[in-house]
Amino acid sequence: MDSSGRQAEAAGRGPRVLVVGGGIAGLGVAQRLCCYSAFPYLRVLEATARAGGRIRSERSFGGVVEVGAHWIHGPSKGNPVFQLAAKYGLLGEKELSEENQLIETGGHVGLPSVTYTSSGGSVSLELVAEMSSLFYSLIDQTREFLHEAEAPAPSVGEYLKGKIRQHMAGWAEDEGTRKLKLAILNNLFSVECCVSGTHSMDLVALAPFGEYTVLPGLDCTFPGGYQGLTDRIVASLPTDVMVFNKPVKTIHWNGSFQEASAPGEAFPVLVECEDGGCFPAHHVVVTVPLGFLKERLDTFFEPPLPPEKAEAIRRIGFGTNNKIFLEFEEPFWEPGCEHIQVVWEDPSPLEDLAPQLDAWFKKLIGFWVLPSFGACHVLCGFIAGLESEFMETLSDEEVLLSLTEVLRRVTGNPRLPAPRSMLRSRWHSAPYTRGSYSYVAVGSSGDDMDLLAQPLPADGEGAQLQVLFAGEATHRTFYSTTHGALLSGWREADRLISLRDPQAQQLGPRL
């Protein structure tokens, strides 16, 4: 421990800890540290007016919709988000059932209830099932190159396209059916872009792809909204811990900062906020999204981050996956319909086309039918990549008009009533997020995520932990998930606990 730490202890105040970012990673840090009397001074600086970060539930259409995180992925015993949600009583009987926890999905999206084509027809479930089976068997193959000396292609996309070309050689159908098969596969590529939070699977590195770990369990949602979880965590914290509307401008580290209220004490870190406020601290845990870090890399840290850490931030991928909610007076879909797939017949996954921003809606993968809220009937569409970012720049009227035309076209009903209202996410435009979640990009690897997770300064044993890093992009096997984010927050809290009390027993998740 350095002299400033000893002085703080001597003064009986304990170390000052600041957490930058009030998403589930930052809340996980705070909740864990609040269990220890050794951390009496703790503040979470949140840039916006609410906690939760990329978990954001809104009351709309007479119910709750998820503008951010949607599902608990792999809700089973190994998932701390699931365990915490169960502890807080936020899940229903079905979600908690042993049966649901044992289901192995492989991380794949289930079959749609109905598949419409851009010419107004529908595709047989048999053909959709055949193409889905092919696509997901190939996706499973892409996870097998983790420990190979050399991967057969640089990206997941290139590997998939090569394998599809081989399969096409055995297709004996007429030209129309062959084109339809490719169109279905193209939709599945777009689905995988949503899952991976990327513009194209050509951007996702093949060799490390298998390192992402899929937990067992049938993905489930929160009946009362995902934000119920983060709200409960916030409610468990002392009232003065959360500081809202406090965007951070610069983290000054490796210094010796004074404060009038603590004469004779030196703090190694000073957090400077956009409003001019400054917070000296012994430890700062940075939990901001990778998209924000990428954008502010040159100004957010003073002195700048070590080159290898800065390069890791540049290399790791971070993309946008958005949702568009459409509310209808009456459902046009059949009772029991859960998932509507939309297949555009012209594109092929084997052609490398520039993004067609004027036809952005062709990247939309389809719609999920939300549980009905009384007289409200809501569809939730997903769209990823540059087209998704372009969609954010359009007005509500333009988006509503485009999707009304799409639905009339694919259902073959030119008089289909327009949705009566709409809500959408805009994660790329959000200034403190700048996208949705991370992926391992071509030229990157899991090592970069580990590098991002390393605290500063990085000068060997016993160095004072000044700046620590948490968030989904710092978890090597659960990146892009809420459980990865929560675990990363617990990891950094435990790092600080071990620093104060080397004898502290790390008992794993404290639930």
Side-chain angles (χ1 to χ4, degrees):
M1 191 185 303
D2 71 1
S3 59
S4 68
R6 278 195 295 273
Q7 286 168 347
E9 268 192 334
R13 284 189 294 269
R16 289 195 190 188
V17 181
L18 295 176
V19 179
V20 180
I24 195 167
L27 296 176
V29 175
Q31 191 179 45
R32 194 90 147 189
L33 291 182
C34 281
C35 296
Y36 282 82
S37 58
F39 296 93
Y41 184 96
L42 173 69
R43 295 289 182 274
V44 178
L45 305 181
E46 166 54 43
T48 71
R50 51 170 287 280
R54 286 166 275 175
I55 292 174
R56 183 173 150 207
S57 310
E58 284 194 11
R59 294 208 72 80
S60 196
F61 316 118
V64 174
V65 296
E66 305 294 9
V67 177
H70 201 99
W71 289 278
I72 301 178
H73 293 295
S76 51
K77 288 184 170 55
N79 187 323
V81 166
F82 175 70
Q83 296 292 341
L84 209 50
K87 175 193 167 188
Y88 286 140
L90 300 174
L91 300 174
E93 275 182 40
K94 187 168 184 285
E95 290 84 7
L96 293 169
S97 71
E98 194 73 28
E99 180 190 358
N100 268 30
Q101 293 181 51
L102 297 174
I103 293 172
E104 294 278 359
T105 65
H108 305 324
V109 175
L111 288 174
S113 309
V114 62
T115 298
Y116 291 121
T117 66
S118 50
S119 59
S122 59
V123 186
S124 74
L125 192 56
E126 289 75 20
L127 191 61
V128 173
E130 182 191 338
M131 289 301 98
S132 296
S133 177
L134 168 60
F135 185 80
Y136 288 121
S137 69
L138 295 178
I139 282 283
D140 289 341
Q141 286 178 30
T142 63
R143 300 191 175 281
E144 294 170 6
F145 303 108
L146 188 56
H147 303 295
E148 299 285 319
E150 198 174 336
S155 73
V156 172
E158 287 163 270
Y159 177 81
L160 293 173
K161 287 186 279 190
K163 288 292 180 182
I164 288 167
R165 285 190 185 95
Q166 291 175 19
H167 278 271
M168 280 176 64
W171 291 354
E173 298 93 345
D174 59 87
E175 184 62 23
T177 305
R178 289 163 62 93
K179 279 191 73 172
L180 186 54
K181 281 184 164 185
L182 284 173
I184 296 167
L185 288 169
N186 195 67
N187 173 274
L188 292 168
F189 270 84
S190 294
V191 169
E192 205 60 29
C193 286
C194 288
V195 171
S196 289
T198 185
H199 170 65
S200 164
M201 295 310 291
D202 291 355
L203 301 174
V204 181
L206 177 60
F209 193 60
E211 200 154 21
Y212 175 85
T213 303
V214 177
L215 294 171
L218 186 64
D219 290 359
C220 69
T221 57
F222 286 80
Y226 223 126
Q227 204 176 306
L229 179 66
T230 48
D231 288 348
R232 291 294 288 270
I233 298 175
V234 170
S236 76
L237 303 174
T239 50
D240 60 349
V241 166
M242 297 298 303
V243 185
F244 293 105
N245 298 306
K246 266 291 182 209
V248 169
K249 181 182 179 186
T250 307
I251 296 169
H252 303 269
W253 61 287
N254 235 8
S256 183
F257 302 99
Q258 311 294 317
E259 188 183 52
S261 66
E265 189 168 351
F267 297 90
V269 192
L270 182 75
V271 175
E272 179 188 357
C273 295
E274 297 276 4
D275 63 6
C278 288
F279 295 79
H282 299 101
H283 313 289
V284 174
V285 188
V286 178
T287 73
V288 299
L290 179 65
F292 176 87
L293 271 186
K294 283 176 176 285
E295 185 174 73
R296 304 285 185 98
L297 194 52
D298 296 334
T299 59
F300 201 60
F301 298 95
E302 180 54 47
L305 293 178
E308 61 276 12
K309 190 183 278 280
E311 283 305 316
I313 289 169
R314 290 190 185 98
R315 282 192 297 261
I316 301 168
F318 193 81
T320 302
N321 181 19
N322 275 314
K323 301 180 200 178
I324 307 169
F325 300 92
L326 302 175
E327 182 205 7
F328 293 84
E329 200 104 27
E330 295 292 335
F332 63 81
W333 51 93
E334 295 291 321
C337 177
E338 294 180 352
H339 170 196
I340 299 166
Q341 183 181 35
V342 176
V343 168
W344 292 86
E345 287 154 291
D346 42 346
S348 158
L350 306 180
E351 297 165 14
D352 293 322
L353 298 172
Q356 297 173 280
L357 298 183
D358 57 337
W360 61 270
F361 43 81
K362 291 187 178 181
K363 194 74 170 283
L364 192 83
I365 61 173
F367 299 90
W368 271 254
V369 180
L370 298 190
S372 61
F373 311 130
C376 295
H377 307 280
V378 182
L379 295 181
C380 174
F382 287 79
I383 181 170
L386 296 175
E387 296 85 353
S388 181
E389 293 171 11
F390 176 75
M391 178 276 298
E392 296 186 27
T393 69
L394 302 173
S395 69
D396 282 2
E397 291 73 25
E398 287 171 305
V399 174
L400 201 51
L401 190 63
S402 289
L403 294 188
T404 301
E405 287 177 9
V406 166
L407 287 170
R408 286 173 176 169
R409 178 174 173 176
V410 302
T411 58
N413 179 3
R415 289 181 295 282
L416 187 80
R420 66 181 179 186
S421 68
M422 188 196 85
L423 176 73
R424 58 180 156 152
S425 62
R426 290 190 182 92
W427 287 109
H428 182 69
S429 309
Y432 304 110
T433 316
R434 307 299 282 139
S436 298
Y437 38 81
S438 60
Y439 61 93
V440 182
V442 172
S444 182
S445 74
D447 291 346
D448 285 331
M449 290 177 160
D450 284 347
L451 196 50
L452 177 55
Q454 288 303 307
L456 296 173
D459 53 4
E461 293 297 309
Q464 174 71 23
L465 296 172
Q466 295 179 22
V467 186
L468 301 87
F469 294 83
E472 53 85 14
T474 71
H475 199 293
R476 185 168 184 145
T477 57
F478 291 146
Y479 55 87
S480 80
T481 66
T482 53
H483 54 276
L486 180 59
L487 285 169
S488 75
W490 287 353
R491 178 193 69 215
E492 296 312 308
D494 287 346
R495 204 190 293 269
L496 287 174
I497 291 163
S498 297
L499 181 75
R500 309 305 301 177
D501 179 7
Q503 262 40 73
Q505 292 296 304
Q506 301 309 314
L507 299 174
R510 295 184 186 83
L511 296 169

